[in-house]
Amino acid sequence: MAAPVAEPSSWQQRLRRFGYTPPGRDAAPIGLRERLVPPYTRPSERTWSLLGIGPGGADRLWRLLAWGGPLLVTVVAGLLRFWNLGKPHAVIFDETYYAKDSWALINQGYEGAWPKDIDKTILTDPGSVLVPTDPGYVVHPPMGKWVIGVGEKLFGFEPFGWRFMVALLGTLSVLMLCRIGRRLFRSTFLGCLAGLLLAVDGLHFVMSRTALLDQVLMFFVLAAFGCLVLDRDRTRARLAAALPEDEEGVLRPDAEVAEALRLGWRPWRLAAGVSLGLAAATKWNGLYVMVAFGLLTVLWDVGARRTAGAVRPYLAVIKKDLVPAFVSVVPVAIGTYLATWSGWLATDKGYFRHWAEDHDRAVGGGTWGWLPDWLRSLWHYESEVYTFHVGLTSPHTYQSNPWSWIVLGRPVSYFYESPAPGTAGCPVTAKEKCAQEVLALGTPLLWWAACFAILYVLWRWAFRRDWRAGAIACGIAAGWLPWFLYQERTIFLFYAVVFVPFLCLAVAMMLGAIIGPRGSSERRRTFGAVAAGCLVLLIVWNFIYFWPIYTGTPIPMDQWRARMWLDTWV
């Protein structure tokens, strides 16, 4: 028998004016089975009838759209990202580091010390360029460079080659977001909408066409999140299957089952641990995401056991789930991280590779001499890199404070040239030189809408206890908030690409609320759909409008100035 619902306290009563719903006071009570494993929403019979589709065809089409819709959005995203991927034929922004380091890594297992003026030779005659055998000092782990190097191995040491894998991961991330959004919202439409927003975000688009590490990091972070969402669904389904049913077949909570059941083998959480290890092995800010997602999956277990009837869900999770969760994420991630250093471990020429032996000869051993030499050498390398990162305060033209990222205060120009009329694609009729730029700028209307969407998901999480809003907020916070600890450090807006998928989920969730929940009047949903549709169309138009400065297309200077909406974009 379910426990009686306690009367809301005075503070809960006061918060009702802001939309707060006390526990157990939902306007429309939902069955326990639906709370543990919510069903996917389907279009109403009226919608199918308006489309002229019968019941049998509607069912087949609905199942087809579960994958067909996300794949269609992904094809569009892929066509956009791979179109003229080798243009501009240049080493743009930090490609000068990662393209060369990746080529050395994929060919000899460690990064080399490249000559300073080698970029022009690489662009004109890459076949004549020899990989330097002297080790180079690099300040990021190797995983992202392994990824970039695969594309170079397949397509050569030239712009298309070093951008290929990043474009592929950018495209696949759209597919992942469609499917994650579908599972999160239990709606194919909202899932595809989130993927479409990611497909037309300017920052994600530019980063997908540039050989930098942040897009690779974003892919692994999103993959880890998707694995945890899958694990959550499967875990709750296992709890539902173990709970008793009454004579009418209605699922009933059971404290003993909810607190004592072992949830068993959880492969998707192990996969999340691998993905988080790969994220940290791309850039170290993946470690913050690991902590945030680790807490998130444990809290999801608490919520699942509480919903199933646990009287002391936290204690049950501590006893049954905490150790497996830790082992699934932390040791797995550490092992994955170390595995990405296999090239450095296998060679005897990597930077600091023999630091431990050299140190022991110089000082006659030390406190940690009992550890393997390779581990002490790697630890020293990592400590040197950490010192570099926290002390990086050199001013840069395009550096920005994380406070300004969400409003696109200071985007980064990756490439800029001023071709004369009649040259390099600049129209002959141009009255002055053209502008040819690749600007790492998010689609402005999408990001500015996301400012309101963040407030909405925070409200939804705090006052309606919506786990989906909390999950989205966690993804944004894990990718954004850590940078506030390093405001004196030289940092850039393009780091924000890590949480762009979660911004798109937030906007999709807000648009779903604008359209209106099921059961709303036809008039309400019609006006909501028109409003949401107009906003989406404006975002798509905004992406098309900024297309020239995302792709390095030469345009007359007056058209370029028209696109510099804020003075800080110049």
Side-chain angles (χ1 to χ4, degrees):
M1 181 174 179
V5 178
E7 287 298 319
S9 63
S10 58
W11 68 267
Q12 290 174 326
Q13 294 281 13
R14 288 194 294 272
L15 286 177
R16 278 185 167 183
R17 72 186 67 178
F18 302 106
Y20 177 77
T21 304
R25 299 280 174 164
D26 298 310
I30 303 173
L32 179 57
R33 191 182 304 277
E34 287 71 26
R35 290 172 62 195
L36 284 171
V37 188
Y40 286 87
T41 58
R42 303 176 62 130
S44 64
E45 294 181 4
R46 177 179 174 80
T47 301
W48 293 123
S49 63
L50 288 174
L51 295 174
I53 301 174
D59 188 63
R60 289 192 296 272
L61 182 59
W62 183 75
R63 289 199 301 269
L64 176 65
L65 287 175
W67 274 102
L71 286 173
L72 180 61
V73 175
T74 304
V75 168
V76 172
L79 290 174
L80 293 173
R81 280 150 180 76
F82 280 96
W83 180 83
N84 264 350
L85 181 60
K87 304 295 182 181
H89 188 77
V91 179
I92 65 175
F93 200 61
D94 280 355
E95 284 186 340
T96 189
Y97 304 114
Y98 305 126
K100 292 180 290 192
D101 286 343
S102 300
W103 183 245
L105 195 65
I106 203 73
N107 280 286
Q108 63 187 17
Y110 64 95
E111 297 90 343
W114 291 88
K116 289 185 178 181
D117 300 322
I118 197 68
D119 288 356
K120 290 182 180 179
T121 305
I122 292 172
L123 292 171
T124 56
D125 187 14
S128 66
V129 176
L130 299 177
V131 178
T133 56
D134 291 336
Y137 176 64
V138 296
V139 295
H140 290 296
M143 186 60 211
K145 288 165 281 186
W146 282 118
V147 170
I148 294 170
V150 170
E152 293 175 325
K153 200 69 174 177
L154 292 173
F155 299 102
F157 192 29
E158 52 95 18
F160 181 86
W162 62 64
R163 295 170 191 163
F164 174 81
M165 285 301 296
V166 184
L168 180 62
L169 295 190
T171 302
L172 292 177
S173 68
V174 172
L175 176 61
M176 284 198 302
L177 192 66
C178 289
R179 293 289 298 178
I180 290 170
R182 179 180 183 270
R183 186 171 290 272
L184 203 65
F185 302 127
R186 288 306 198 256
S187 167
T188 301
F189 170 74
L190 289 181
C192 290
L193 179 58
L196 176 64
L197 293 174
L198 187 63
V200 298
D201 174 62
L203 182 60
H204 186 275
F205 174 77
V206 171
M207 296 297 289
S208 296
R209 294 167 57 87
T210 312
L212 271 64
L213 302 180
D214 301 84
Q215 188 80 343
V216 182
L217 171 63
M218 178 279 308
F219 177 84
F220 291 130
V221 167
L222 185 60
F225 182 77
C227 289
L228 291 178
V229 171
L230 274 165
D231 173 74
R232 182 185 186 275
D233 275 4
R234 290 171 180 261
T235 300
R236 293 170 77 90
R238 192 171 297 161
L239 270 170
L243 290 173
E245 296 180 352
D246 62 15
E247 297 81 0
E248 299 177 355
V250 177
L251 205 65
R252 294 300 180 188
D254 187 290
E256 184 177 352
V257 172
E259 293 182 0
L261 181 69
R262 292 191 178 275
L263 298 175
W265 172 250
R266 298 172 68 168
W268 284 111
R269 192 150 70 178
L270 286 170
V274 172
S275 297
L276 290 169
L278 294 175
T282 301
K283 292 188 77 172
W284 277 1
N285 45 317
L287 293 171
Y288 290 105
V289 180
M290 185 190 307
V291 173
F293 284 5
L295 291 174
L296 184 67
T297 186
V298 170
L299 291 175
W300 281 350
D301 285 349
V302 171
R305 291 188 182 274
R306 178 191 290 121
T307 301
V311 178
R312 293 174 294 181
Y314 285 95
L315 183 59
V317 167
I318 290 172
K319 289 181 177 179
K320 303 293 183 182
D321 304 320
L322 193 58
V323 172
F326 178 84
V327 173
S328 298
V329 175
V330 179
V332 170
I334 292 174
T336 302
Y337 180 88
L338 292 175
T340 65
W341 284 88
S342 57
W344 183 85
L345 293 171
T347 182
D348 61 353
K349 293 184 178 180
Y351 204 87
F352 281 137
R353 181 63 183 85
H354 296 289
W355 174 87
E357 297 98 306
D358 297 339
H359 178 266
D360 287 350
R361 282 195 296 269
V363 301
T367 305
W368 303 100
W370 54 275
L371 290 174
D373 289 343
W374 68 265
L375 183 58
R376 289 192 294 142
S377 296
L378 180 59
W379 181 264
H380 177 75
Y381 195 167
E382 302 284 49
S383 66
E384 290 292 312
V385 168
Y386 176 78
T387 301
F388 168 83
H389 280 301
V390 297
L392 182 60
T393 57
S394 304
H396 193 284
T397 304
Y398 293 107
Q399 70 182 68
S400 59
N401 191 286
W403 287 107
S404 69
W405 290 356
I406 196 65
V407 293
L408 302 174
R410 183 60 170 163
V412 182
S413 181
Y414 286 174
F415 174 84
Y416 186 89
E417 287 188 355
S418 300
T423 64
C426 182
V428 179
T429 55
K431 297 179 181 179
E432 55 183 325
K433 288 184 177 181
C434 288
Q436 184 181 8
E437 183 172 29
V438 176
L439 186 65
L441 171 73
T443 302
L445 293 185
L446 172 59
W447 281 65
W448 295 340
C451 295
F452 297 96
I454 291 173
L455 296 177
Y456 171 71
V457 297
L458 290 175
W459 171 83
R460 185 86 192 176
W461 174 49
F463 290 96
R464 293 297 176 88
R465 304 176 314 284
D466 191 326
W467 74 272
R468 303 168 303 172
I472 295 169
C474 178
I476 296 172
W480 186 16
L481 295 186
W483 291 109
F484 288 90
L485 301 173
Y486 305 99
Q487 295 190 53
E488 299 301 321
R489 187 186 183 277
T490 307
I491 53 179
F492 303 92
L493 183 145
F494 66 81
Y495 296 171
V497 74
V498 175
F499 61 86
V500 166
F502 300 97
L503 293 182
C504 295
L505 287 172
V507 174
M509 189 173 188
M510 182 180 70
L511 290 171
I514 292 173
I515 294 171
R518 292 182 67 86
S520 301
S521 67
E522 185 175 342
R523 178 185 177 87
R524 161 72 177 84
R525 288 179 69 87
T526 299
F527 278 109
V530 170
C534 288
L535 179 56
V536 172
L537 290 175
L538 285 172
I539 290 171
V540 173
W541 164 82
N542 202 204
F543 173 75
I544 295 171
Y545 179 72
F546 282 98
W547 173 270
I549 62 172
Y550 292 148
T551 58
T553 303
I555 53 175
M557 190 63 70
D558 57 342
Q559 294 186 22
W560 177 83
R561 293 191 189 100
R563 288 164 172 81
M564 297 297 105
W565 286 2
L566 301 179
D567 292 341
T568 54
W569 292 3
V570 179

